[in-house]
Amino acid sequence: MNHKVLVIDDDNLLSNMIAQHLQSEGYQVAIAKDSAEAMTQIYNSTPDIILLDVVLPKISGFELCRLLRNDTRASHLPIIMLTSKGDVEDKVKGLESGADDYLTKPFQFPELTARIKSLLRRAKQEKTLNPLTGLPGNLLIDEKIKHFVYTAKTPFDVLYLDLDNFKAYNDVYGFLKGDEVLKLLAHIITQSVRKYGSNNDFIGHIGGDDFIVINTSHNVDLICQEIISSFDASILLLYTKEDRKRKGIISVDRTGQPQKYPIMSISIAVVSNRHRHIESHWEVSHIAAELKKLAKNRPGSNFVKDKRKE
């Protein structure tokens, strides 16, 4: 994919030089001389990144940057400010206007290319992160599972983690408290993997109360036990004293009848290629669904491993 760069600068010579250099690097480049041309370009063909000069006719680059950050169609676009001054004040003003980075003229083209690549890489990563927990989302999760199944061909364990009675908690305590639970669980998983896992391990947030860990160490039991013990001890703090005392909450079921729901627990399904060959990433998901049913049928927090052989 050729990334699209929009250069907003009324200096024709510099704009054309930038365009020629970036095109030789494989980028698509469009040029706008002022804010009106820039907005037309953005609305007609949204760029992947913007190079914005501070000095423009009609309104300054700082003002245009603020306008872009308040426009839902452009607020997500990475912006590099181009300034002819090296003053700290100008740099701070640019960043406060919403710019992601800045370059002082005259600059070297290799540095410009490096800055563009860095921001595009960061923007791609941010798109794939769960906004609540900051953990990788479904796109990266799929890539990682496929990598381990088809490319890496090394021993691995895939842990699918799911909360029990989370919906009832959300219904009674509200979504903000529910978000606290998810952030707590993300922290516990991260700390547990950091403690017993390896540098190659991966943690992802599928969505809602579903998380995933890809473990390459031989400590999967220790990781699961650490997550469970930490979660069971910590989750009580997010319940009222009354609910802790009754060991659950009172809510209504789907038929409108009052029902007691136990304190939240966690179920972990562990799929591994240590004892059997995994043919595809679909097989990982299928085995995990079977194991998760077993785990959820057991009371309290627990983990179930697939021990079947070929």
Side-chain angles (χ1 to χ4, degrees):
M1 174 186 175
N2 292 332
H3 290 289
K4 293 181 285 187
V5 181
L6 174 61
V7 181
I8 308 173
D9 195 334
D10 63 341
D11 184 332
N12 290 332
L13 178 61
L14 180 60
S15 295
N16 288 326
M17 288 174 64
I18 291 173
Q20 287 175 17
H21 169 73
L22 293 179
Q23 284 166 351
S24 71
E25 294 286 327
Y27 293 94
Q28 296 178 40
V29 184
I31 297 173
K33 295 184 175 114
D34 56 33
S35 58
E37 280 188 27
M39 298 311 288
T40 300
Q41 292 270 11
I42 290 168
Y43 292 161
N44 289 341
S45 179
T46 306
D48 297 300
I49 191 168
I50 294 173
L51 305 183
L52 174 59
D53 189 39
V54 167
V55 181
L56 292 174
K58 299 178 184 176
I59 68 171
S60 72
F62 298 128
E63 292 177 82
L64 179 55
C65 189
R66 280 191 286 269
L67 288 173
L68 292 172
R69 287 294 175 243
N70 289 318
D71 190 315
T72 55
R73 288 166 289 189
S75 60
H76 64 289
L77 299 176
I79 298 174
I80 299 177
M81 296 286 288
L82 305 178
T83 174
S84 54
K85 293 182 181 180
D87 296 343
V88 172
E89 185 180 341
D90 255 26
K91 295 173 184 176
V92 170
K93 192 173 180 181
L95 295 173
E96 287 180 342
S97 300
D100 299 282
D101 201 354
Y102 60 84
L103 269 175
T104 304
K105 300 176 186 177
F107 50 79
Q108 299 295 317
F109 284 129
E111 182 183 6
L112 173 64
T113 306
R115 298 286 184 99
I116 289 173
K117 286 180 179 177
S118 176
L119 278 182
L120 288 173
R121 189 165 52 245
R122 193 171 81 190
K124 180 183 177 182
Q125 186 180 44
E126 286 174 352
K127 282 181 183 177
T128 60
L129 297 181
N130 184 282
L132 178 66
T133 59
L135 292 174
N138 286 324
L139 281 176
L140 285 177
I141 290 170
D142 285 345
E143 284 180 13
K144 280 291 180 180
I145 292 177
K146 288 175 182 177
H147 168 73
F148 279 101
V149 171
Y150 302 120
T151 307
K153 296 183 179 178
T154 56
F156 64 81
D157 306 288
V158 181
L159 289 66
Y160 283 83
L161 305 96
D162 182 26
L163 292 177
D164 310 311
N165 302 312
F166 178 68
K167 183 182 182 303
Y169 181 91
N170 252 352
D171 290 343
V172 172
Y173 283 82
F175 289 105
L176 290 179
K177 292 290 287 186
D179 286 349
E180 285 188 41
V181 172
L182 299 179
K183 286 188 280 190
L184 169 67
L185 179 55
H187 174 74
I188 288 171
I189 294 170
T190 301
Q191 292 301 108
S192 302
V193 172
R194 188 173 296 163
K195 185 174 181 180
Y196 291 113
S198 73
N199 292 332
N200 295 322
D201 288 0
F202 172 84
I203 304 168
H205 187 175
I206 298 169
D209 60 327
D210 294 306
F211 291 79
I212 193 169
V213 173
I214 303 177
N215 166 59
T216 55
S217 73
H218 292 277
N219 296 329
V220 65
D221 287 22
L222 290 174
I223 292 172
C224 291
Q225 289 161 4
E226 181 73 12
I227 291 171
I228 286 171
S229 61
S230 297
F231 181 80
D232 286 350
S234 302
I235 194 60
L236 293 171
L237 300 175
L238 295 180
Y239 283 86
T240 63
K241 185 178 179 180
E242 292 76 15
D243 286 341
R244 287 199 298 270
K245 189 175 180 180
R246 70 162 67 100
K247 297 182 179 180
I249 56 179
I250 304 299
S251 184
V252 293
D253 60 21
R254 293 177 181 176
T255 64
Q257 299 299 312
Q259 185 172 331
K260 180 181 176 181
Y261 292 88
I263 298 291
M264 265 184 289
S265 55
I266 184 166
S267 296
I268 306 175
V270 182
V271 181
S272 178
N273 71 343
R274 298 183 190 275
H275 304 293
R276 64 191 293 183
H277 178 64
I278 302 291
E279 294 284 349
S280 72
H281 63 290
W282 299 111
E283 190 177 357
V284 174
S285 179
H286 176 71
I287 297 170
E290 291 181 341
L291 297 176
K292 196 157 68 170
K293 285 180 184 177
L294 292 175
K296 282 189 167 294
N297 284 332
R298 299 177 181 179
S301 296
N302 67 95
F303 67 99
V304 176
K305 295 168 65 178
D306 180 24
K307 297 180 179 179
R308 291 172 293 184
K309 298 186 178 180
E310 298 292 350

